[in-house]
Amino acid sequence: MSQEELLLTDSTIAFRAKHPETIKNWENQIVKDDCTPDHHFCYHALEEYPNLIAHLDVAEYRLDFAINAHIVHAQLQEQFLDDGHTGPIALEHANNELLKIYGALNEKEPVGRAAILKSLQ
């Protein structure tokens, strides 16, 4: 599993390094299925992407992917808020963008993956 497939962008790596207790807490929430709505969305939306799920079949990779996706989702939501959108609209835009990322990562050919990952950097 490459770092790109786990959405380990520079900002995601920095967040994980700065907040290890938060990451540990999120791992526990996923295992107990007691996540926040955004985290729940990031984790359970993966079910719609069979090729991506096949790459993330081992539970550890799925947990890491969900955590990284949650970080990316929060960054996207913050970006939409900074652009002047209201909370619910920013959330909806972040959801749609994350689903586009999942869709690109779900492709069998890596062309879409490279474009998505480059835009996240």
Side-chain angles (χ1 to χ4, degrees), residues 38 73-94:
D38 292 349
H73 184 271
Q75 291 168 340
L76 289 167
Q77 192 172 355
E78 184 178 341
Q79 180 181 348
F80 286 116
L81 288 169
D82 289 347
D83 290 344
H85 296 284
T86 62
I89 300 298
L91 174 63
E92 186 64 29
H93 284 317

Side-chain angles (χ1 to χ4, degrees), residues 8-105:
L8 283 175
T9 62
D10 291 341
S11 59
T12 302
I13 292 168
F15 182 93
R16 289 178 75 103
K18 188 175 180 180
H19 303 285
E21 289 301 315
T22 300
I23 300 300
K24 191 176 196 177
N25 184 37
W26 287 351
E27 289 171 344
N28 289 331
Q29 288 176 3
I30 293 172
V31 170
K32 294 176 183 174
D33 199 24
D34 186 28
C35 305
T36 65
D38 292 349
H39 201 163
H40 190 270
F41 171 81
C42 294
Y43 188 67
H44 290 282
L46 283 171
E47 299 300 324
E48 300 297 318
Y49 300 93
N51 292 327
L52 182 54
I53 286 293
H55 288 293
L56 302 171
D57 213 14
V58 178
E60 181 181 339
Y61 285 124
R62 288 183 74 176
L63 288 174
D64 279 346
F65 188 89
I67 290 168
N68 291 331
H70 186 51
I71 295 167
V72 170
H73 184 271
Q75 291 168 340
L76 289 167
Q77 192 172 355
E78 184 178 341
Q79 180 181 348
F80 286 116
L81 288 169
D82 289 347
D83 290 344
H85 296 284
T86 62
I89 300 298
L91 174 63
E92 186 64 29
H93 284 317
N95 288 352
N96 290 334
E97 289 301 312
L98 190 67
L99 292 177
K100 288 178 188 176
I101 292 168
Y102 283 176
L105 292 173

